[in-house]
């Protein structure tokens, strides 16, 4: 790019519009001349005038962040023309749901271990006979310590965020001829999912024994998002290329494909620990009995 | 209720734009007259012509999803002009990371129990959530995969 003496090249926005890039150009700091593709994406989605309108409605100190989000949103829309950022949000919700399920499963196993270690030593101390059925705790499913839920339900103040999960997602592979009969209002059915992750209206104090907010979310997700499973099959192929998106976590596709291994690993580890638990009481019984016979009753 | 027939009421888009709603109006199936706000939001953020171009590039059976996602993003941008729906993405991403971390810690705890029969450790407190790359306490899920963009973002307008 040739530079005229004393002048810099026009920004990508002014270059696109074929106009002189003035020093006060609002977009110049955010669309350098060599970022034509980024600008085109933003222009395609928002349009220059709308971007300028957004910037003018904000404090200058917020311009940079706003432009980052605009560029990001536009680039995601370019990558995923149908779902855009909403597809990304759905994927993340799904991911969270899977992680939550696995987490609850692990917590339940951990709680069983804790209960067992609690019960047997205390009964020995009291001189009580150890439980004849050492496996009874296996049937107990204690309430989960829901610190996780606590943190999630508290985490955020973005009260507006709701997932536009349209029941017509069912039909995204069919004709949408019946769409008008369904889509009536934002607040219909399961169209809008208010997630406590993003809403402040879930009280944290009620989380101690309630899985309700998250379970409600999960049930909503399960009920209304059978389609996202379909959608994800469509989107996952696109996300193959979005590896940097999930730099810090598993790649989307590998995560989706590893859902079953997650399930099976849960089941396998549950089976292993169950077997281990079944064996332990026998040994403990014998040891306890030996102790009992040698020592006096306390 | 069909809103695309010539004799029925115009769609929300044509009502808003004050034009005749033709039978082949591209907006009619997706912006029923009962939801004027939906189109108003989308038009305010993206503009009708941009939406029309976007819809034309998308297969017919996916247009409704496209419109719904645009409506969602428009509403998000109106409520949060700085971050829009990207704010939600960042929050969710952080939650995924936190949850994964806690899951790993709990799994490690479980292994201790299962194989060592030692009392479980309390999961370590999560580290401070300031992820790398935050300039304003707001982390983006990823940087657009354009090297020149990343370089320029760092040097020019990306961070303030």
């Amino acid at each position: 790019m040739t530079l005229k003496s004393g002048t810099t090249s026009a920004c990508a926005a002014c270059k696109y519009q074929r106009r002189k890039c003035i020093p006060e150009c609002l977009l110049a700091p955010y669309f350098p001349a060599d970022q034509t593709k980024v600008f085109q994406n933003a222009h395609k989605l928002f349009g220059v005038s709308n971007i300028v309108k957004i910037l003018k409605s904000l404090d200058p100190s917020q311009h940079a962040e706003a432009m980052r989000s605009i560029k990001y949103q536009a680039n995601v829309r370019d990558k995923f023309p149908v779902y855009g950022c909403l597809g990304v949000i759905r994927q993340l919700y799904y991911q969270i749901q899977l992680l939550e399920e696995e987490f609850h499963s692990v917590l339940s196993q951990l709680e069983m271990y804790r209960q067992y270690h609690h019960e047997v030593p205390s009964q020995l101390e009291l001189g009580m006979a150890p439980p004849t059925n050492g496996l009874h705790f296996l049937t107990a499913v204690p309430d989960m310590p829901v610190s996780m839920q606590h943190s999630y339900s508290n985490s955020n103040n973005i009260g507006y965020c709701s997932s536009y999960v349209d029941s017509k997602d069912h039909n995204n592979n069919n004709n949408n001829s019946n769409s008008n009969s369904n889509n009536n209002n934002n607040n219909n059915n399961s169209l809008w999912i208010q997630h406590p992750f993003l809403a402040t209206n879930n009280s944290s104090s009620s989380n101690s024994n309630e899985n309700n907010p998250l379970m409600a979310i999960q049930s909503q997700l399960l009920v209304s998002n059978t389609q996202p499973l379909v959608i994800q099959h469509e989107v996952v192929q696109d996300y193959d290329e979005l590896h940097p998106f999930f730099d810090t976590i598993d790649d989307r596709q590998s995560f989706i494909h590893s859902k079953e291994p997650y399930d099976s690993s849960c089941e396998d580890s549950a089976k292993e620990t169950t077997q281990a638990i079944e064996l332990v009481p026998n040994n403990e019984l014998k040891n306890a009995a030996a102790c009992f016979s040698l020592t006096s009753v306390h | 209720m069909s809103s695309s027939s010539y004799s029925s009421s115009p769609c929300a888009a044509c009502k808003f734009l004050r034009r005749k709603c033709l039978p082949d109006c591209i907006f009619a199936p997706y912006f029923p007259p009962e939801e004027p706000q939906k189109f108003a939001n989308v038009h305010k953020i993206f503009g009708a012509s941009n939406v029309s171009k976007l819809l034309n590039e998308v297969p017919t059976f996916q247009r409704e999803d496209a419109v719904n996602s645009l409506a969602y993003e428009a509403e998000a941008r109106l409520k949060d002009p700085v971050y829009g729906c990207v704010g939600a993405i960042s929050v969710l991403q952080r939650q995924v990371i936190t949850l994964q971390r806690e899951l790993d810690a709990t799994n490690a705890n479980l292994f201790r129990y299962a194989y060592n029969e030692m009392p479980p450790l309390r999961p370590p407190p999560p580290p401070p959530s300031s992820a790398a790359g935050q300039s304003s306490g707001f982390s983006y899920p990823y940087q657009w995969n354009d090297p020149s963009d990343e370089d320029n973002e760092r040097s020019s307008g990306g961070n303030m």
Side-chain angles (χ1 to χ4, degrees), chain A residues 216-236:
Chain A
I217 299 303
Q218 291 175 10
S219 64
Q220 285 179 351
L221 284 172
L222 287 170
V223 164
S224 64
N225 279 10
T226 52
Q227 298 66 39
L229 290 179
V230 172
I231 292 169
Q232 283 149 12
H233 286 303
E234 299 171 10
V235 177
V236 160

Side-chain angles (χ1 to χ4, degrees), chain B residues 12-153:
Chain B
C14 294
K15 243 190 203 175
F16 188 96
L17 299 171
R18 296 185 191 190
R19 65 184 193 192
K20 196 184 282 188
C21 191
L22 299 174
D24 60 348
C25 173
I26 194 170
F27 298 118
Y30 318 111
F31 295 103
E34 302 85 26
E35 294 181 46
Q37 197 57 44
K38 185 177 173 184
F39 179 79
N41 293 344
V42 167
H43 178 59
K44 186 164 185 184
I45 298 298
F46 302 118
S49 61
N50 288 340
V51 173
S52 170
K53 282 183 216 164
L54 282 167
L55 289 181
N56 277 321
E57 291 177 0
V58 159
T60 311
F61 72 95
Q62 290 187 307
R63 283 181 184 172
E64 188 163 13
D65 289 335
V67 164
N68 288 337
S69 68
L70 287 170
Y72 169 78
E73 289 182 19
E75 183 171 352
R77 183 64 63 174
L78 284 169
K79 289 182 176 169
D80 183 355
V82 179
Y83 295 111
C85 64
V86 181
I89 293 177
S90 185
V91 167
L92 290 174
Q93 181 77 0
R94 262 181 276 164
Q95 288 175 353
V96 165
I97 292 170
T98 302
L99 190 49
Q100 185 69 57
R101 203 177 285 136
E102 293 214 22
L103 182 62
D104 292 343
T106 310
N107 267 324
N109 227 1
L110 187 63
F111 285 145
R112 287 171 60 89
Y113 247 136
Y115 296 111
N116 299 333
E117 293 193 27
M118 293 176 66
L121 297 175
R122 289 288 160 183
S129 63
S130 59
Q134 283 189 36
S135 61
S136 55
F138 190 89
S139 65
Y140 276 77
Y142 81 108
Q143 292 291 336
W144 180 244
N145 213 6
D146 183 350
S148 61
D149 183 41
E150 286 181 352
D151 290 340
N152 285 316
E153 273 211 62

Side-chain angles (χ1 to χ4, degrees), chain A residues 72 76 88 92 239 242-248, chain B residues 89 93 141-142:
Chain A
Y72 177 84
V76 171
V88 170
L92 287 169
Y239 278 118
L242 249 195
H243 190 75
F245 181 93
F246 292 99
D247 243 353
T248 53
Chain B
I89 293 177
Q93 181 77 0
Y142 81 108

Side-chain angles (χ1 to χ4, degrees), chain A residues 113-148:
Chain A
Y113 274 113
R114 283 185 185 142
Q115 277 197 354
Y116 173 71
H117 277 276
H118 247 278
E119 282 181 4
V120 172
S122 62
Q123 286 168 355
L124 288 176
E125 281 175 11
L126 291 174
M128 292 164 55
T132 53
N133 178 12
L135 306 179
H136 72 279
F137 59 85
L138 289 176
T139 60
V141 181
D143 290 333
M144 297 302 126
V146 287
S147 58
M148 287 305 301

Side-chain angles (χ1 to χ4, degrees), chain A residues 207-222:
Chain A
N207 277 345
S208 57
N209 277 327
E210 286 179 2
N211 300 333
N212 290 340
L214 279 176
M215 293 307 292
I217 299 303
Q218 291 175 10
S219 64
Q220 285 179 351
L221 284 172
L222 287 170

Side-chain angles (χ1 to χ4, degrees), chain A residues 41-87:
Chain A
N41 293 341
H43 179 56
K44 186 178 177 186
L45 180 61
F46 291 94
V48 170
S49 57
N50 289 326
I51 296 176
V52 170
K53 237 192 286 178
I54 292 173
L55 289 181
K56 284 187 175 169
S57 71
L58 296 173
D59 193 73
S61 61
Q62 297 173 306
H63 284 184
E65 284 303 306
M67 283 310 303
R68 283 182 73 192
S69 73
I70 286 171
K71 286 198 279 186
Y72 177 84
Q73 193 174 337
N75 291 334
V76 171
R77 179 63 65 171
D78 177 62
K79 196 84 179 168
F80 310 107
V82 178
Y83 299 104
C85 287
L86 183 58

